[in-house]
Amino acid sequence: MPGPFSRDRRSPDRPRPDVRPAEPVTVHFDDLDDLDDLDVLGMLHNARCPLLVERAWTGFRQEHGLRFDGARASAGVACNVVKELLTGYEAPFTRTGTCAVHLRLERLGSTRLTYGFRFCSADGATTYARGTRVQVRLDAGTLRPAPWSDGFRAAGRELLRAAG
């Protein structure tokens, strides 16, 4: 079934070797009654995958010096909103431990971007979910669309090159 990575001629469960994992994430689970990460069936709760993807994206931005100090007025490129999030779940994540999120930038426009993600096992052998997310950069004062900074665009080009 074609998805956001349909341009990849490899098996959909095999990561592209030129797409670098952005930020490995760990799912913590301490108690069978704790539903923060796993649901009552012992699977990763569907709401957790987008959060782990967000953490990977944040890690990528921070690696490139793009940080958020908590103030909207000084947020810079961190002042953005999610316009759309599409996630398809392919296999249940039924344990705690290390997993990986592979990111790739599919489109970088003047005020919005679309990135694809693949949430998978640490070795890349199993894909749990994949999808896309559209973000719009906002001006902190007006909350209207604003252009991405040159620094952000330079970091983004790295992921665009990885997408190939």
Side-chain angles (χ1 to χ4, degrees):
M1 175 162 123
F5 295 89
S6 60
R7 289 173 282 182
D8 188 356
R9 291 182 180 27
R10 301 177 185 278
S11 164
D13 285 335
R14 291 192 52 214
R16 288 177 44 153
D18 59 339
V19 177
R20 106 193 212 322
E23 178 83 5
V25 293
T26 302
V27 178
H28 297 285
F29 182 65
D30 299 322
D31 183 334
L32 288 175
D33 295 327
D34 182 355
L35 302 181
D36 281 350
D37 289 326
L38 301 182
D39 65 15
V40 295
L41 300 176
M43 293 185 273
L44 184 72
H45 191 278
N46 66 67
R48 298 302 283 177
C49 181
L51 177 63
L52 296 172
V53 170
E54 174 71 22
R55 288 180 184 165
W57 182 246
T58 299
F60 176 79
R61 284 193 335 238
Q62 289 177 347
E63 283 178 15
H64 291 84
L66 305 168
R67 302 191 187 284
F68 178 61
D69 67 5
R72 186 172 77 193
S74 62
V77 296
C79 187
N80 62 74
V81 293
V82 176
K83 179 175 176 56
E84 179 179 275
L85 174 65
L86 299 173
T87 305
Y89 297 92
E90 299 184 14
F93 189 82
T94 57
R95 59 179 174 68
T96 60
T98 302
C99 55
V101 176
H102 296 262
L103 300 173
R104 67 189 247 178
L105 197 56
E106 296 186 354
R107 182 180 180 282
L108 180 57
S110 60
T111 62
R112 80 170 58 169
L113 64 82
T114 302
Y115 72 82
F117 61 87
R118 179 175 171 263
F119 177 62
C120 59
S121 57
D123 64 2
T126 303
T127 298
Y128 303 111
R130 66 177 78 230
T132 58
R133 180 168 144 161
V134 178
Q135 291 182 203
V136 178
R137 161 83 165 89
L138 299 178
D139 176 270
T142 64
L143 297 181
R144 302 289 305 154
W148 297 103
S149 71
D150 291 339
F152 183 85
R153 295 183 76 72
R157 281 191 288 277
E158 178 181 324
L159 284 179
L160 278 170
R161 280 195 302 272

